[in-house]
Amino acid sequence: QVQLVQSGAEMKKPGASVKVSCKASGYTFTDYFLHWVRQAPGQGPEWMGWISANNGGTNYAQKFQDRVTMTRDTSINTAYMELRSLTFDDTAVYYCARDGSGPRHWGQGTLVTVSS
Amino acid sequence: NFMLTQPHSVSESPGKTATISCTRSSGNIADNYVQWYQQRPGSAPTTLIYEDNRRHSGVPGRFSGSIDRTSNSASLTISGLRTEDEADYYCQSYDPVNRHVVFGGGTKLTVL
């Protein structure tokens, strides 16, 4: 079965960067896009972008265009999302999700807390 | 760009049927597939419906999705409500102009 396992919780200071990983199993990694979605406390999901696991092509939401980078390593079936210049507003749970006409299979989420 | 608008909350009794709407602000609802997710407190979202009306694996037949071209909206219907169905529900579609994913604002379902 499709499984996405994300890296553990992170605590960062304002201005720092965070890199979250998402290890996929149970399917052919390069056959699907991977989405990154975040959810701030008490808010709904917010789509950040996707990466093609096949060729590494990306498409970012305009809000994050200048400070997000999504990459993947096909040798270990893992995708990464790096967010730079963190502010308190970036405190959220970050999810990866495999595509299937939209996010279909979700990781467990990674809590990123930005605190001074 | 378009928006997906959901009611903030829906309340219904156990055993009854609840319907949650998702209205697309511009463009045709039928042009791009709609997905539905359930999220319980403290948990990741899980997919209920994909491609308008197809149930994700393991999802009970009590959950169904549909689209209505006249109202330009999608609907999630949950029949035989159980207390465990209390959760937040989100619709999602795709904007082909910028190839972006769009989420609705979410609906809190209360079963009481």
Side-chain angles (χ1 to χ4, degrees), chain A residues 46-84:
Chain A
E46 180 177 30
W47 181 76
M48 300 179 69
W50 52 252
I51 180 169
S52 165
N54 181 34
N55 60 19
T58 55
N59 187 10
Y60 303 142
Q62 189 164 4
K63 176 177 180 177
F64 302 103
Q65 183 81 33
D66 294 337
R67 60 189 188 102
V68 73
T69 301
M70 297 176 188
T71 57
R72 93 283 188 232
D73 184 338
T74 58
S75 68
I76 55 172
N77 291 355
T78 299
Y80 302 92
M81 186 283 300
E82 181 179 33
L83 190 63
R84 301 176 293 277

Side-chain angles (χ1 to χ4, degrees), chain A residues 39 50 59-60 101 103-104, chain B residues 35 37 39 47 50-51 99:
Chain A
Q39 191 168 27
W50 52 252
N59 187 10
Y60 303 142
S101 301
R104 178 91 65 90
Chain B
Q35 281 64 241
Y37 307 98
Q39 187 175 34
T47 301
Y50 67 98
E51 294 179 359
R99 300 182 300 156

Side-chain angles (χ1 to χ4, degrees), chain A residues 3-4 10 16-17 20 25 39 45-46 49 62 69 73 79 83 85 95 97 104 108:
Chain A
Q3 196 169 11
L4 300 171
E10 303 260 16
S17 299
V20 179
S25 61
Q39 191 168 27
E46 180 177 30
Q62 189 164 4
T69 301
D73 184 338
L83 190 63
S85 302
Y95 296 100
R104 178 91 65 90
Q108 85 276 17

Side-chain angles (χ1 to χ4, degrees), chain A:
Chain A
Q1 74 283 18
V2 175
Q3 196 169 11
L4 300 171
V5 178
Q6 299 182 222
S7 49
E10 303 260 16
M11 183 165 287
K12 297 291 183 182
K13 293 191 182 304
S17 299
V18 68
K19 191 170 186 177
V20 179
S21 68
C22 171
K23 183 169 178 60
S25 61
Y27 71 97
T28 302
F29 182 67
T30 51
D31 280 353
Y32 293 90
F33 287 11
L34 274 165
H35 300 269
W36 288 92
V37 176
R38 79 175 186 180
Q39 191 168 27
Q43 303 298 311
E46 180 177 30
W47 181 76
M48 300 179 69
W50 52 252
I51 180 169
S52 165
N54 181 34
N55 60 19
T58 55
N59 187 10
Y60 303 142
Q62 189 164 4
K63 176 177 180 177
F64 302 103
Q65 183 81 33
D66 294 337
R67 60 189 188 102
V68 73
T69 301
M70 297 176 188
T71 57
R72 93 283 188 232
D73 184 338
T74 58
S75 68
I76 55 172
N77 291 355
T78 299
Y80 302 92
M81 186 283 300
E82 181 179 33
L83 190 63
R84 301 176 293 277
S85 302
L86 292 169
T87 71
F88 299 121
D89 290 343
D90 292 316
T91 293
V93 178
Y94 289 75
Y95 296 100
C96 63
R98 200 208 78 178
D99 189 60
S101 301
R104 178 91 65 90
H105 301 272
W106 295 71
Q108 85 276 17
T110 297
L111 175 62
V112 175
T113 303
V114 183
S115 174
S116 55

Side-chain angles (χ1 to χ4, degrees), chain B residues 8-22:
Chain B
H8 182 70
S9 62
V10 168
S11 182
E12 192 50 89
S13 303
K16 301 292 189 181
T17 297
T19 299
I20 297 171
S21 63
C22 171

